[in-house]
Amino acid sequence: MKTILEKIRENAAALGEQTVYSVYYMNNYAGGGREFPHLTWKELDEYSGKLAAYLHRTCRTKTPVVVYGHKDPWMLVCFLACVRSGRAYCPVDTSVPPARVRAILEDVSPETVLATEPLEYSGAPVLDKAALLAAAEGEPGQLGPEHAVSGEDTFYIIFTSGSTGTPKGVQITRNCLDCFIQWGITLGRGLDGGRRRVFLNQAPFSFDLSVMDLYLSLYTGGHLFALSREVQGDMGALLDALSCSGAEVWVSTPSFADLCLSDKKFREELLPRLELLLFCGETLTNRTAERLAAAFPRAETVNTYGPTESTVAVTQVRVTPELLRQSPLPVGAEKPGTWIFIQDAQGNDLPDGEVGEIVIAGDSVSTGYWKKPELTGRVFGSRSIGGTVYRTYRTGDAGTKRGGQLYYQGRMDFQVKLHGYRIELGDVEGNLLKLDGVRAAAVLPVERDGKVRSLTAYVAAERSGDDFADGQRLRAALKALVPDYMIPKKFVFLDRLPMTGNGKVDRKALGGSGK
């Protein structure tokens, strides 16, 4: 199969003036306009080629380039310019707090920063949008494909949260990305050939879920329709954007789908062309899957699993009516070129049915963390499979395998000990979601003096007006599903749970770390 850069060049030549990317901003909704900032395939190819030549001419080293912004069409130009010049790119969204942005910049130490939004940084030249356009338009020629990243060269670096509070940069190679794409285009019927489709982008580019919609769209010659952060925070604007999108492939976290499902207008009439829903990043519950099946009876839902360190996702399962009889839902079987092992604390493989740590081996596992050899050595390794040595990654996720299917059971460090009992918070949350009227739930520990004293449940649910009575009702119903020691002491009712910029439940905003 062709590499991602070969396919982009091929698609650009064939599709020319057709749109490759557009973004819906709040002013489209407030002003009633329907002209969205967009980028054509021809512009993407020409601008990224000339900007790549500029980087090649002005940068002395192959240090990764930080690209700062929020869904501006020029971010795509910058990403491709970096890799076409032989440099990895590091996307940083404007939602990232300033202190964290500085930490990432200091860690990467880029020779130059490409910024589509205002950014103050004294450590290297910052090219704003005007400078980017001038650099691209002023460059006399494009850079040849022989200068681009290839093979085991790093293609992008995405910074994720570190247990110490310091972000860590996950390095993904060109080979890793190509292996993911070759499997990703098989996730939906017809993605790997035929007509071009409209893909929906929900996640910011600094969250690796966006890699799924961005590069599957670019590889298949699609049109990526992006939702800005402000639009996602306004239900009226969000519904308007969805109705304008013409989306056929939906990629998001389950939490974002739950947000949309809270409005009765979110159904097939709003998105009549929707044919595939792809989920990753969080647990897809039976309730969410059932509501999606009712709202979009002709669309196919695919559940996936994978950490950033294994390039977006490595398992998949189609959610059928028969599968919905299982609770919880599996996250599926491994993609070709990937093997998943369940191991105990000593690193021994466990048999089917036993719970342990999920360990991934395969062709899309990261080469490790940027400038963190000690941390890389703790969680990355290698394993010979069939005579070939593959990189491995210890995920820190708990899971079990049954019948060839992987079942995700939360973080290994997402457990608390209360009154001598070890409790998996995801277990409590999953059972809360089984109760009538509960749309979303998050459970956090209440700590005093370094010890967990109780649990608090934050729920978006149907309410009678008496929160105390509603809490008692849920507490009584939950007793039929879990032991008494797992029942939250306090219930807090909200219209909807807050979400992070990545579309996950914002546990810190709820008042705790979730650990």
Side-chain angles (χ1 to χ4, degrees):
M1 291 184 68
K2 292 183 172 68
T3 68
I4 179 60
L5 293 180
E6 289 171 339
K7 281 293 289 183
I8 290 173
R9 295 298 301 276
E10 180 181 284
N11 291 335
L15 299 171
E17 299 298 335
Q18 295 191 55
T19 299
V20 63
Y21 179 79
S22 58
V23 58
Y24 190 101
Y25 291 115
M26 276 298 292
N27 58 358
N28 294 122
Y29 175 63
R34 292 296 182 269
E35 294 297 325
F36 316 121
H38 73 282
L39 187 72
T40 67
W41 278 95
K42 180 180 179 182
E43 290 169 334
L44 176 63
D45 181 58
E46 291 187 356
Y47 283 141
S48 65
K50 289 190 173 185
L51 186 56
Y54 173 85
L55 292 173
H56 177 72
R57 181 168 54 81
T58 59
C59 295
R60 298 183 306 253
T61 70
K62 291 295 182 74
T63 304
V65 178
V66 172
V67 180
Y68 179 80
H70 178 70
K71 303 207 176 183
D72 188 285
W74 267 83
M75 291 193 78
L76 270 67
V77 173
C78 293
F79 296 163
L80 291 183
C82 293
V83 294
R84 289 178 71 173
S85 75
R87 293 161 177 80
Y89 70 88
C90 174
V92 179
D93 190 72
T94 55
S95 62
V96 177
R100 191 178 180 88
V101 173
R102 287 194 299 272
I104 292 172
L105 286 166
E106 290 171 1
D107 196 5
V108 176
S109 298
E111 273 196 80
T112 188
V113 178
L114 311 182
T116 65
E117 300 291 339
L119 174 68
E120 292 185 7
Y121 179 58
S122 59
V126 177
L127 274 66
D128 61 15
K129 277 188 70 173
L132 289 170
L133 182 59
E137 290 187 335
E139 189 63 38
Q142 294 204 23
L143 204 61
E146 67 276 8
H147 294 282
V149 297
S150 62
E152 287 296 271
D153 294 341
T154 301
F155 196 95
Y156 65 79
I157 299 174
I158 284 183
F159 276 80
T160 64
S161 298
S163 58
T164 63
T166 302
K168 55 185 187 292
V170 182
Q171 302 176 105
I172 299 298
T173 69
R174 211 283 313 276
N175 281 346
C176 287
L177 180 58
D178 281 336
C179 290
F180 164 73
I181 292 171
Q182 289 168 19
W183 168 73
I185 59 176
T186 70
L187 293 177
R189 291 185 291 266
L191 281 187
D192 53 348
R195 62 182 179 81
R196 61 193 302 257
R197 288 168 171 78
V198 178
F199 288 71
L200 191 74
N201 164 261
Q202 170 249 322
F205 294 126
S206 57
F207 180 30
D208 81 317
L209 177 60
S210 67
V211 172
M212 182 179 284
D213 50 71
L214 172 59
Y215 286 106
L216 293 186
S217 181
L218 288 177
Y219 194 91
T220 59
H223 167 192
L224 186 63
F225 188 97
L227 306 172
S228 66
R229 182 171 59 254
E230 291 76 17
V231 165
Q232 295 182 43
D234 184 297
M235 185 57 74
L238 175 57
L239 294 174
D240 187 70
L242 293 176
S243 70
C244 294
S245 70
E248 295 157 283
V249 181
W250 173 288
V251 179
S252 83
T253 59
S255 287
F256 183 71
D258 286 332
L259 171 67
C260 296
L261 285 165
S262 66
D263 194 292
K264 294 180 180 179
K265 296 177 184 175
F266 184 65
R267 51 189 303 110
E268 192 173 57
E269 289 76 9
L270 187 74
L271 291 163
R273 298 170 60 187
L274 189 62
E275 60 185 55
L276 176 65
L277 297 114
L278 293 173
F279 291 104
C280 195
E282 285 179 316
T283 299
L284 176 65
T285 65
N286 291 67
R287 173 161 293 187
T288 297
E290 288 166 353
R291 295 177 69 196
L292 286 168
F296 301 97
R298 293 186 294 177
E300 181 180 29
T301 296
V302 175
N303 193 21
T304 72
Y305 161 82
T308 306
E309 288 85 349
S310 64
T311 315
V312 190
V314 290
T315 73
Q316 67 85 23
V317 64
R318 284 173 169 77
V319 181
T320 63
E322 294 74 26
L323 192 72
L324 283 171
R325 295 174 190 151
Q326 294 187 41
S327 182
L329 294 172
V331 293
E334 303 100 310
K335 72 175 183 63
T338 292
W339 293 263
I340 289 180
F341 305 94
I342 306 299
Q343 295 186 344
D344 61 20
Q346 288 72 46
N348 301 308
D349 293 344
L350 296 173
D352 274 15
E354 292 197 29
V355 177
E357 182 177 15
I358 299 172
V359 178
I360 300 171
D363 55 19
S364 60
V365 172
S366 163
T367 52
Y369 299 118
W370 171 258
K371 291 183 180 179
K372 286 184 168 50
E374 290 186 9
L375 179 58
T376 296
R378 287 202 295 271
V379 296
F380 288 93
S382 62
R383 181 164 178 159
S384 179
I385 302 173
T388 301
V389 177
Y390 293 93
R391 289 190 290 268
T392 62
Y393 172 64
R394 290 172 46 205
T395 66
D397 292 336
T400 185
K401 292 181 78 174
R402 296 195 300 272
Q405 295 286 305
L406 176 67
Y407 291 81
Y408 172 74
Q409 299 197 335
R411 291 289 299 169
M412 300 287 286
D413 57 2
F414 218 52
Q415 298 174 337
V416 297
K417 200 166 188 179
L418 178 63
H419 305 316
Y421 294 100
R422 189 160 292 280
I423 301 172
E424 174 60 59
L425 297 180
D427 190 3
V428 184
E429 293 170 354
N431 281 285
L432 276 170
L433 291 170
K434 295 178 183 178
L435 305 182
D436 289 340
V438 177
R439 302 187 301 274
V443 177
L444 300 184
V446 177
E447 299 183 19
R448 285 197 307 274
D449 302 323
K451 185 176 181 180
V452 176
R453 304 292 181 175
S454 64
L455 302 179
T456 295
Y458 296 84
V459 293
E462 296 176 4
R463 300 158 75 174
S464 66
D466 186 337
D467 284 1
F468 178 77
D470 290 338
Q472 292 294 88
R473 174 180 60 83
L474 293 182
R475 185 175 286 107
L478 194 58
K479 282 187 175 183
L481 302 176
V482 300
D484 285 349
Y485 66 82
M486 292 177 63
I487 296 176
K489 180 179 180 180
K490 182 179 180 181
F491 285 81
V492 178
F493 290 88
L494 303 169
D495 292 332
R496 61 172 63 100
L497 300 188
M499 293 194 299
T500 66
N502 292 344
K504 297 185 178 183
V505 173
D506 191 342
R507 296 176 183 273
K508 289 185 178 180
L510 289 172
S513 65
K515 291 186 179 179

